[in-house]
Amino acid sequence: LNEPATAREKVSEAMELDSNEWALLPGRKSRFLYPPLLLEGTPSLGADLLMEDARVPFVETALQAEQMIKAGILYELAGQTGQANDVWTEAARRFPLTQCHYWALVADGLRQQNEAVLDALPYPVRTRTELFYLTGLLCEKRGHAARAREWFGKSARENAAGEWPGVLAAKKLG
């Protein structure tokens, strides 16, 4: 967490060692590549990686939708609000409730600055921890410090496994 450049290098080394590693294949690699970029202060590059993965055709639709939600958040963190809204609009269109449970509601909620829809996120703890942390950053960026603290608290409480977002959320809380 304190050395994002080193983390990025280690992921690149792992990709070179085993180009067929499931978690590092196209459609999945952004999970490991975007956090260092976010921590280095280049969230738009992380968003680009997430969008690249979200457009890989053979990846599960729920994962693609999740990647687009995160990409929209990172674009807004980078000051690209229009791009963020475009991504969330596309996510809601591509992944309607009839095809992919819940993500269209999240996309619409974030676009309308109503992140409360994330409270009922019916996904694994890892996903919840990460999205709650990113939502805290988004609320911070939007000037809603109290709401940001609430989301950081939720991320930290969900973080029994010690995932990076929950650790960073706990640091934000002091």
Side-chain angles (χ1 to χ4, degrees):
L1 292 176
N2 295 326
E3 299 180 35
T6 302
R8 200 168 11 87
E9 288 171 20
K10 295 296 181 189
V11 172
S12 293
E13 287 174 18
M15 292 171 75
E16 288 174 21
L17 287 173
D18 186 357
S19 62
N20 291 317
E21 169 56 39
W22 175 82
L24 299 174
L25 289 174
R28 301 182 185 286
K29 63 185 178 193
S30 61
R31 175 173 181 222
F32 301 100
L33 293 173
Y34 96 82
L37 294 169
L38 173 64
L39 296 174
E40 290 174 331
T42 55
S44 64
L45 295 177
D48 291 344
L49 287 173
L50 286 159
M51 287 303 296
E52 181 182 312
D53 275 357
R55 292 199 165 96
V56 173
F58 56 82
V59 175
E60 308 87 51
T61 56
L63 179 57
Q64 291 174 325
E66 178 185 338
Q67 290 164 335
M68 290 185 78
I69 297 301
K70 292 176 193 175
I73 293 172
L74 294 185
Y75 280 131
E76 188 164 332
L77 292 176
Q80 297 172 266
T81 304
Q83 181 73 15
N85 287 326
D86 290 348
V87 167
W88 291 325
T89 299
E90 180 184 345
R93 182 187 49 75
R94 275 183 63 193
F95 308 106
L97 291 175
T98 54
Q99 179 189 11
C100 189
H101 182 66
Y102 200 70
W103 290 113
L105 295 174
V106 173
D108 287 338
L110 291 172
R111 193 170 36 80
Q112 297 165 8
Q113 297 198 16
N114 177 15
E115 67 280 341
V117 68
L118 285 160
D119 269 329
L121 193 67
Y123 289 101
V125 170
R126 181 196 62 78
T127 302
R128 292 171 57 83
T129 301
E130 191 170 349
L131 283 169
F132 290 171
Y133 173 69
L134 292 175
T135 301
L137 293 177
L138 185 62
C139 287
E140 235 178 21
K141 174 77 173 175
R142 290 175 173 175
H144 306 294
R147 287 191 353 223
R149 285 190 62 77
E150 288 176 29
W151 287 108
F152 293 140
K154 290 174 186 184
S155 177
R157 283 189 299 277
E158 290 272 343
N159 193 36
E163 297 279 342
W164 68 270
V167 171
L168 293 176
K171 285 183 179 181
K172 287 272 193 185
L173 296 171

